[in-house]
Amino acid sequence: MGDHSHGGPKSSGTVATAGQGEVEKFQDPGLPPHRPRLADKDPRAEKRAERQVAILFVISIIGTLLFFVGYFAIRLDDTIATLRLQNFLLGMGTCFAMLGIGVGIVHWAKTLMPDHEIAEERHEVRTEEDRQIAETMVGEIIEETGIKRRPLIRNTLLGAMILAPLPAIGIFRDLSKEIDPDVLRHTMWDAGVRLTRDPDGTPIRASDVTIGSAFHVIPEGLNEAEHKLEEKAKAVVLLMRLHPDDLNVSPGREDWNYNGIVAYSKICTHVGCPVALYEQQTHHLLCPCHQSTFDLTQECKVIFGPAAHALPQLPISVDDEGYLIATSDFHEPVGPSYWERG
Amino acid sequence: MSSSAPDTYTPKTGLGRISNFVDTRVGVSPIVKEFGRKIFPDHWSFMFGEVALYSFVILLMSGTFLTFFFDPSMAETHYEGSYVPLQGVEMSVAYASTLDISFDIRGGLFMRQLHHWAALLFVASVSVHMLRVFFTGAFRRPRELNWVVGCVLLILALAAGFTGYSLPDDLLSGNGLRIIDGVIKAIPLVGTYISMFLFGGEFPGTAIVGRLYVLHILLVPAIILLMIAIHLFMVVVHKHTQYPGPAVPKTTSSASPSVPFTRRRQAASSSSSSASWLPSLPTSRSFRSGITAPTTPPPCPQVPSLTGTSAGSMARSA
């Protein structure tokens, strides 16, 4: 990389010497000689560098003007193209305005300003003398307060200081009126509640659910519920139909599906993302957040990823008019684990 | 404070009179005397901390702009702005005001993007800065405490990033909040309660955006500013950690002169003097960063001669 003979104190090559029988010591080569730059030697180069710096500052000025052209000359209509053009001009304008100043000053410093090195002494963070003075002063202060001689004052002060901040913590109690973990166990689903489409809330006939199809489902009446978002965050369900032969139904859940139509909570049991991806051919449900994968044929057992529990199943049936209904709430809390879940 | 000699200086120019007015009341001269020729390292790896600092300045400025237009309310509304595909859609006021900043306030989208990218660069540069400090051993005595302050700053940077990510109340915000809710609920014993206190009840509630807003624009940046002040104060106390070069005693810190454009000179990734520390890079001597007080034994055994030789000649040819 270039001519390196300039860096050596005497000649390049041997910088270490060894006397007889003694350990070789690394010799401090000393500061390399200062090498004048082109602009230090050639007045024309100096002029050129000066012009270059000025040009960079002018580029900055042009950048600022470009910003104002973009800001005032472009009328925003309702099209994305206009917005995009304006945004581009604002960004490029600011970019040149800042870069012009920055690059200009760097170029100025590197070509025209003095480039000699200077060294600065390090100091000890503290000296022994300072330490002794400080120790004496602190000792005097403690002595003058008499805190060592008066333990009654010391102890009551300590007690007061420990207690005094407590209201500042206690006053935050009303951050939430509702702190009963039991609310997490219950959703809007109940016996007879119809399964309806998300988001319009129209009920779903069992005959609409063909094999291989999937529905995003909310409970009937959710859109009119008082705490709609909180209820929805717990109650959303995925509805799919498989061949009844593909389902491995465990004892006690025989009547939870209807002719191969199954409903599972859409809230991932890992940290609560919507398990929104249904792989129709493999019957896997995939959570996009952390790739937890649930096997629909094994009652949504976790087969991959960080989730700890199977997705809770919603027991379903049909009513007299052929619409799908829940036969009860979920039998376990939906969503991520929490301490009181057990 | 009375000085022994009467002050006889009379400034000649207008600027001089103004400077003298301030100087005689605040005492700028001693500050200039102390810091005016402060030396800065000129190796490029010392730039990352500065990138982080200036990213934070940009975050404060662009963020302040955004607060004038953002409305952190979770009340339901119907969008009526100029972005046609979303007109009439039910959404929160927070999201609607985010869309307004993007589509109806000139320069708003630019400021959002600036804020977003500065935030990414902030976290990235803090991380790379930490890598530099770690791999050069610059965290060692007497700088351990400043390393800890730096770690706190990284965590605060993540906290600022997360709270900001959650504000627009779009799909990404919702997923991020859902995940943090799941993370909090996983805390043993108190997790459920912390989650409910944070969200004002069950997820998502109607309070979280407003609460995170206060954290994002007030509490977290204020603590970051405080930590930056402590961080920089300690840097001034300890001085920088650029390796001692040839002919420079280990007790000095060497670098290029800093005035008048210290910052910009540093921004140049290499300068003529950067080669001066290169010879020492492969030797353990160079890793004795910081103050090597007489009481501190060298952390590494003396360099074998062979290393010194090859290191020296390697740098010669570098």
Side-chain angles (χ1 to χ4, degrees):
Chain A
M1 292 230 279
D3 182 359
H4 47 82
S5 64
H6 283 288
K10 303 171 194 82
S11 63
S12 65
T14 50
V15 287
T17 53
Q20 271 198 330
E22 76 180 78
V23 182
E24 262 185 281
K25 282 267 169 65
F26 176 70
Q27 301 288 305
D28 190 336
L31 271 182
H34 180 248
R35 295 158 66 187
R37 297 157 299 183
L38 203 55
D40 295 334
K41 296 181 291 190
D42 182 0
R44 282 189 309 168
E46 190 184 347
K47 264 284 167 221
R48 193 165 58 235
E50 193 181 333
R51 274 198 306 276
Q52 286 164 344
V53 173
I55 287 170
L56 284 163
F57 290 158
V58 170
I59 286 177
S60 168
I61 294 170
I62 293 170
T64 306
L65 294 177
L66 189 66
F67 181 96
F68 279 116
V69 169
Y71 193 88
F72 288 112
I74 292 180
R75 287 259 157 266
L76 276 191
D77 46 29
D78 282 358
T79 62
I80 294 295
T82 327
L83 179 78
R84 186 174 289 162
L85 176 66
Q86 182 184 59
N87 198 47
F88 178 77
L89 289 177
L90 299 187
M92 291 309 277
T94 311
C95 174
F96 283 123
M98 294 297 161
L99 271 182
I101 295 174
V103 176
I105 291 178
V106 168
H107 194 54
W108 181 6
K110 285 178 78 72
T111 55
L112 295 169
M113 288 187 202
D115 67 339
H116 60 276
E117 242 187 89
I118 56 171
E120 189 180 48
E121 281 295 316
R122 290 195 191 283
H123 306 285
E124 282 184 77
V125 174
R126 76 147 206 230
T127 63
E128 175 57 19
E129 189 194 354
D130 284 347
R131 193 198 63 76
Q132 282 170 5
I133 293 171
E135 190 183 20
T136 317
M137 285 171 74
V138 172
E140 281 167 5
I141 290 168
I142 291 174
E143 189 53 38
E144 282 169 24
T145 60
I147 201 159
K148 278 182 175 168
R149 281 178 285 118
R150 303 185 206 278
L152 180 65
I153 287 182
R154 185 194 64 202
N155 294 343
T156 47
L157 175 63
L158 276 178
M161 284 171 72
I162 291 168
L163 289 180
L166 290 184
I169 301 168
I171 203 167
F172 285 102
R173 165 61 185 86
D174 277 355
L175 275 177
S176 175
K177 304 273 188 196
E178 172 68 76
I179 53 163
D180 183 4
D182 195 51
V183 293
L184 300 176
R185 290 189 177 274
H186 307 291
T187 72
M188 272 185 75
W189 294 109
D190 203 353
V193 175
R194 277 179 176 168
L195 280 70
T196 62
R197 288 178 183 83
D198 185 13
D200 55 24
T202 52
I204 303 166
R205 280 181 195 280
S207 53
D208 294 341
V209 187
T210 53
I211 284 184
S213 64
F215 287 75
H216 295 267
V217 170
I218 52 176
E220 187 177 31
L222 176 85
N223 288 333
E224 292 76 40
E226 191 189 352
H227 297 292
K228 181 184 156 186
L229 291 178
E230 290 78 12
E231 292 299 341
K232 188 171 183 177
K234 289 189 293 186
V236 279
V237 155
L238 272 175
L239 185 73
M240 292 133 303
R241 183 168 197 168
L242 283 68
H243 268 294
D245 297 342
D246 287 339
L247 295 173
N248 298 299
V249 181
S250 60
R253 292 196 183 188
E254 292 86 354
D255 57 350
W256 285 19
N257 74 78
Y258 180 78
N259 289 344
I261 304 176
V262 286
Y264 284 93
S265 165
K266 201 165 81 179
I267 313 297
C268 185
T269 55
H270 175 220
V271 281
C273 290
V275 187
L277 304 174
Y278 173 47
E279 296 178 357
Q280 192 194 48
Q281 301 303 312
T282 58
H283 305 307
H284 291 169
L285 286 171
L286 176 72
C287 178
C289 284
H290 307 103
Q291 285 72 50
S292 290
T293 310
F294 304 88
D295 188 352
L296 207 52
T297 62
Q298 299 181 66
E299 298 181 337
C300 281
K301 188 179 108 177
V302 185
I303 54 169
F304 182 79
H309 301 281
L311 292 175
Q313 187 177 2
L314 182 71
I316 53 170
S317 182
V318 288
D319 63 10
D320 305 339
E321 300 170 60
Y323 290 110
L324 289 165
I325 53 165
T327 57
S328 77
D329 197 355
F330 291 103
H331 287 230
E332 58 185 318
V334 299
S337 308
Y338 54 97
W339 182 259
E340 291 82 1
R341 185 185 192 275
Chain B
M1 274 197 280
S2 62
S3 55
S4 51
D7 202 335
T8 55
Y9 173 70
T10 38
K12 291 167 195 68
T13 62
L15 192 63
R17 272 191 291 280
I18 295 168
S19 315
N20 195 49
F21 177 88
V22 178
D23 193 16
T24 49
R25 280 154 185 80
V26 188
V28 179
S29 291
I31 299 173
V32 171
K33 187 182 142 207
E34 180 69 26
F35 295 106
R37 276 295 192 178
K38 181 128 193 77
I39 61 167
F40 280 74
D42 59 1
H43 188 252
W44 56 267
S45 68
F46 285 82
M47 192 178 59
F48 296 118
E50 285 185 80
V51 172
L53 180 66
Y54 299 129
S55 302
F56 185 66
V57 172
I58 291 172
L59 283 169
L60 287 184
M61 293 194 295
S62 55
T64 304
F65 176 88
L66 294 174
T67 59
F68 290 133
F69 304 101
F70 179 69
D71 185 350
S73 160
M74 291 175 84
E76 280 177 23
T77 183
H78 287 85
Y79 179 67
E80 285 164 0
S82 60
Y83 184 60
V84 177
L86 284 176
Q87 278 168 2
V89 172
E90 184 183 306
M91 60 179 63
S92 70
V93 170
Y95 186 47
S97 72
T98 306
L99 292 172
D100 285 345
I101 293 174
S102 291
F103 296 109
D104 292 290
I105 289 159
R106 280 180 292 174
L109 181 59
F110 171 61
M111 292 308 263
R112 284 194 65 202
Q113 291 173 331
L114 194 66
H115 198 68
H116 178 89
W117 283 99
L120 297 184
L121 194 61
F122 184 49
V123 176
S125 55
V126 168
S127 308
V128 181
H129 175 65
M130 285 182 87
L131 290 176
R132 196 270 296 166
V133 171
F134 183 81
F135 285 113
T136 59
F139 56 85
R140 299 192 296 189
R141 183 187 145 151
R143 297 186 174 77
E144 308 98 313
L145 294 177
N146 220 12
W147 168 259
V148 174
V149 171
C151 292
V152 171
L153 273 168
L154 177 66
I155 294 164
L156 286 169
L158 297 178
F162 172 74
T163 50
Y165 190 80
S166 305
L167 292 184
D169 205 14
D170 56 5
L171 182 71
L172 293 171
S173 301
N175 267 2
L177 280 173
R178 197 63 173 106
I179 290 171
I180 211 74
D181 176 54
V183 171
I184 291 173
K185 280 192 175 130
I187 299 172
L189 210 60
V190 292
T192 318
Y193 298 100
I194 294 178
S195 163
M196 285 188 164
F197 280 131
L198 179 65
F199 286 90
E202 281 188 271
F203 175 91
T206 52
I208 187 67
V209 170
R211 289 177 182 179
L212 291 181
Y213 185 63
V214 172
L215 295 178
H216 183 74
I217 72 161
L218 179 74
L219 219 52
V220 176
I223 303 173
I224 289 180
L225 268 177
L226 178 71
M227 287 292 153
I228 288 177
I230 296 172
H231 202 64
L232 294 183
F233 170 76
M234 288 214 259
V235 169
V236 170
V237 168
H238 295 141
K239 297 199 170 69
H240 68 72
T241 55
Q242 182 152 338
Y243 308 122
V248 180
K250 284 167 220 158
T251 51
T252 65
S253 54
S254 77
S256 298
S258 57
V259 174
F261 292 115
T262 296
R263 180 158 79 81
R264 300 301 177 182
R265 274 218 65 170
Q266 278 177 277
S269 62
S270 66
S271 81
S272 55
S273 60
S274 67
S276 65
W277 64 268
L278 268 175
S280 55
L281 179 59
T283 72
S284 63
R285 183 187 74 144
S286 62
F287 287 95
R288 292 179 59 185
S289 56
I291 299 166
T292 48
T295 49
T296 319
C300 301
Q302 274 302 299
V303 196
S305 56
L306 192 61
T307 318
T309 310
S310 60
S313 48
M314 205 170 83
R316 287 283 88 73
S317 54

